[in-house]
Amino acid sequence: MFSNIFFILWLIISSCGFSTLAMTTNLLSGRHLRVIWPRWSGNPKGLWGPLKGGVVLEYLSASLNFTYEMVPVTENILEPQGEKRGQFNYLWDQQCDLVINDITPPLYRKKIDFTTPWIFAYYGLLIPVEYDTANIQAVVKPFQWPVWLGIGISIVCVTASLIFILRFSSRLPTIRSSNTKVETITNNENSRNREKNDEVLSDTIEKQSSHQFLYVIGNLLSQGGPCASQLLSFRFVAGVWCLAAFIFVQAYTSTLFTYVVTPINPPLINSINDVFESQDIQLLIFKAAPLNVFSSEPNATGQFLKLGNKLNSFTNSRCNLISECVKAVTPGTKNVFVDSVNYIKDLIRQDFYKTGKCKLQLAKEGFMPTSVSFALQQNSLFTKSINQGILELQQTGIIDFWDTWFRPMPPQCNGKNTQQSAEKKLAPLSFKNLTGAFVLLAFGLSLSFLVFLIEKIVHFSYN
C-alpha cells in the first residue's frame, strides 16, 4: 500500500521536474535577438539568401517566444575576403546573434556555432533551352550505319545473283545444242537463223537483266513485281530476298515512327557526368559559392577534384556575380551553371517573368546531396533552443510545402502545357518532324533532273 503511494508521488514529482526542465531549456523565451537575413526588404536588392528565411524566423519567434530586429547588411558574402567584410563579421563583432542564410557547416568551422540542418537539398545544373531544329536525320536514324551498309551490299549481291542465274540459264541450251550438232559449212541458212535467234535472245536477256535491279528495289519498298524466270534457283534467291526485305521493312517502319515524333530539341546535358566527359561544355560557378571553395582546395578528391579540374580548364569559369553566370547561359552556347537546385529554380522563374519565355531549364539529374544550417555566435546560449525549434519545424513537413508558395514554377518551364492538358488533343506532326523526308524528295528530284539534262546533252552530241 505504502509502496504504491510512494510510486505515485514519485511520478508526480518527476513529471513536474521534467516540465520545469523543458521550460528552462528554452533560453530564448522573452529574449530579443539581432538577426541578419539578406533578403530582408531593408537590405539592398540582389543579396543572395534563403527565400524561406523570413517565414522560418517568424515560426521560431512564435514557437520559442522571442522577439527580433533586422540588422541591415550590404555584404553578399559570408566570410571576409581581403578587406571586404562578410556577414560573419557581425557575429564575431557581437553586432548580430543569428544569421539566416544557407551555410554549409563543413566549410566554416571557426568561431561560429551552427544549428541543425534546416534544408536537405542537392546541386543542380542550369542549362539553356535549345531551339527547335529540323529533324533531318529521322529518315536514316532507325538503322545504324552498319545496317545501311549491309542492306546496300545485299542489294548488289542479290541483283548480281539474279542476273547471273538468268544469263547462265539462257545460254546453257545453246551451248549444249552446239555440241551435239555436226557443224556444216554449207548450212548457211541454219547458221543465220541461229544468229538471229541468239540476237533476239540476247536482247531479251539484256532487258530482263536491267529489270532485276528494279525487282530487288521494288521488294524492298513493298512494291513487288513479276518473277523473270521459273527456274528453281532463280525463285529460291528471289524468295529469300522477299523474306529478308519483309524483315527490313517491318523493322524500319516500326522504328521510324519513334524517330519522327521524338523531341527535336534534346537538352544540352542530362547529368554532371556529361559535363565531365565533354570537352566542349564550359562549367560556370559563383566565385563565393561553397562548392567553388570545396573544389578549389588542394586536397580535393572525388567529384570535388573533377569539378576543380573542369573549372580550371576554361578561363572565366568563376563569376563575381551570379547574374554574370546566368547571362552566359544562352541557347546555342555550351555554358552550364552549377548551384543549389533551389536557387536554380529561382533563376528560372525570374527569367521567365522577365522575358515571358522559358529560356532556361534544370538538367534532368542532380548530384552531391548537401545540407545547410543557420549560424550563431560561438558558444551561444541560444543554439540548443534554435535546434529544438528547427527539429519541431521539420517534423511538421511544412518547409517543403512552403516551396509551392515561394517558388511557384511556371507550368511552361516544367514541360507542362496547361492548354494542351486541358484540351487533351494530340498535336499534329509539324514540318520539322518530317524534314528528312522532304529533303530526300528534293534530293531525288534534283538528281533526276540532272540525269535528264545529261541524257539530253549526250543525245544532241551524237545527233
Side-chain angles (χ1 to χ4, degrees):
M1 179 68 181
F2 287 101
S3 61
N4 294 333
I5 295 175
F6 283 122
F7 180 72
I8 295 173
L9 290 175
W10 180 81
L11 288 177
I12 295 174
I13 294 173
S14 299
S15 61
C16 293
F18 288 144
S19 61
T20 304
L21 179 63
M23 294 177 63
T24 56
T25 54
N26 182 15
L27 300 179
L28 274 172
S29 180
R31 295 297 187 103
H32 184 78
L33 299 185
R34 294 161 298 176
V35 182
I36 290 178
W37 179 41
R39 288 182 177 266
W40 175 51
S41 59
N43 293 331
K45 293 184 179 180
L47 297 186
W48 206 245
L51 197 63
K52 299 177 288 188
V55 291
V56 174
L57 180 60
E58 285 290 336
Y59 175 87
L60 294 176
S61 174
S63 61
L64 299 177
N65 191 27
F66 67 88
T67 59
Y68 64 89
E69 63 175 309
M70 289 295 183
V71 178
V73 295
T74 58
E75 295 82 4
N76 202 22
I77 55 177
L78 296 175
E79 282 191 324
Q81 295 181 0
E83 297 181 355
K84 294 183 179 179
R85 284 170 53 89
Q87 297 175 13
F88 288 167
N89 287 104
Y90 292 84
L91 294 176
W92 298 334
D93 298 339
Q94 297 184 354
Q95 299 175 352
C96 170
D97 299 306
L98 175 65
V99 174
I100 302 291
N101 210 329
D102 290 332
I103 306 170
T104 306
L107 185 59
Y108 312 102
R109 297 172 183 257
K110 299 179 180 179
K111 302 180 182 179
I112 288 176
D113 280 358
F114 295 100
T115 65
T116 185
W118 73 287
I119 283 183
F120 298 91
Y122 57 91
Y123 287 99
L125 299 168
L126 182 68
I127 60 177
V129 175
E130 299 294 332
Y131 292 133
D132 288 346
T133 56
N135 199 4
I136 299 177
Q137 299 180 354
V139 178
V140 298
K141 276 187 175 180
F143 292 153
Q144 296 182 358
W145 70 265
V147 179
W148 287 113
L149 180 61
I151 293 177
I153 296 175
S154 299
I155 292 174
V156 175
C157 293
V158 172
T159 304
S161 300
L162 294 178
I163 294 175
F164 174 78
I165 293 174
L166 191 62
R167 286 179 176 273
F168 183 75
S169 61
S170 61
R171 293 293 182 182
L172 187 58
T174 304
I175 296 175
R176 287 179 178 176
S177 61
S178 62
N179 291 334
T180 54
K181 293 181 180 179
V182 179
E183 295 183 357
T184 307
I185 299 176
T186 57
N187 196 359
N188 295 329
E189 184 178 356
N190 292 335
S191 298
R192 286 194 296 269
N193 290 335
R194 283 198 302 272
E195 291 177 358
K196 289 182 180 181
N197 292 334
D198 290 341
E199 291 178 359
V200 173
L201 183 61
S202 298
D203 293 339
T204 304
I205 292 173
E206 290 295 336
K207 292 179 180 180
Q208 291 181 350
S209 298
S210 62
H211 292 165
Q212 299 314 305
F213 179 75
L214 298 178
Y215 173 76
V216 173
I217 296 296
N219 279 281
L220 193 61
L221 298 178
S222 301
Q223 298 299 317
C227 195
S229 176
Q230 299 298 322
L231 292 174
L232 181 61
S233 56
F234 188 94
R235 295 171 66 88
F236 182 77
V237 175
V240 170
W241 173 246
C242 289
L243 180 60
F246 174 78
I247 297 174
F248 293 149
V249 170
Q250 294 300 318
Y252 179 81
T253 55
S254 60
T255 313
L256 177 64
F257 177 78
T258 303
Y259 285 100
V260 167
V261 300
T262 192
I264 53 181
N265 54 340
L268 180 63
I269 58 169
N270 291 318
S271 65
I272 189 64
N273 293 327
D274 297 337
V275 177
F276 295 150
E277 295 172 359
S278 177
Q279 299 296 331
D280 299 331
I281 301 297
Q282 181 172 359
L283 190 64
L284 305 176
I285 194 171
F286 180 39
K287 185 178 293 185
L291 187 61
N292 181 39
V293 179
F294 279 123
S295 58
S296 301
E297 290 183 355
N299 299 327
T301 58
Q303 286 190 331
F304 293 118
L305 178 60
K306 293 181 179 180
L307 285 170
N309 294 335
K310 188 66 178 181
L311 293 171
N312 295 331
S313 63
F314 291 95
T315 58
N316 302 325
S317 294
R318 296 172 173 87
C319 310
N320 294 322
L321 299 175
I322 294 178
S323 58
E324 296 178 1
C325 292
V326 177
K327 289 181 181 178
V329 182
T330 56
T333 62
K334 301 292 185 179
N335 298 328
V336 177
F337 176 62
V338 57
D339 206 339
S340 176
V341 65
N342 290 333
Y343 288 155
I344 288 181
K345 290 180 180 179
D346 292 341
L347 296 174
I348 295 174
R349 183 168 52 88
Q350 293 172 6
D351 183 76
F352 174 78
Y353 291 143
K354 182 179 179 180
T355 62
K357 298 180 180 179
C358 286
K359 299 188 298 182
L360 302 173
Q361 63 179 338
L362 185 66
K364 184 178 180 181
E365 300 179 12
F367 69 101
M368 199 179 300
T370 183
S371 59
V372 293
S373 305
F374 299 148
L376 300 95
Q377 296 179 10
Q378 189 176 23
N379 300 323
S380 174
L381 299 176
F382 312 135
T383 303
K384 292 184 179 180
S385 299
I386 295 291
N387 289 341
Q388 179 182 353
I390 292 176
L391 290 175
E392 292 176 355
L393 180 60
Q394 288 179 342
Q395 290 176 356
T396 63
I398 199 173
I399 295 180
D400 295 332
F401 180 74
W402 279 337
D403 280 333
T404 60
W405 292 359
F406 296 98
R407 291 186 172 92
M409 293 297 293
Q412 299 89 336
C413 298
N414 283 333
K416 301 177 182 178
N417 194 321
T418 54
Q419 295 181 354
Q420 289 185 359
S421 60
E423 297 176 359
K424 295 182 179 180
K425 291 183 179 180
L426 296 176
L429 295 178
S430 64
F431 180 82
K432 293 180 180 179
N433 294 110
L434 301 174
T435 305
F438 287 103
V439 170
L440 183 63
L441 178 62
F443 175 77
L445 293 176
S446 302
L447 184 61
S448 62
F449 183 72
L450 179 62
V451 173
F452 171 77
L453 292 178
I454 294 175
E455 290 177 346
K456 284 295 183 181
I457 294 173
V458 172
H459 176 73
F460 287 139
S461 62
Y462 277 108
N463 293 336

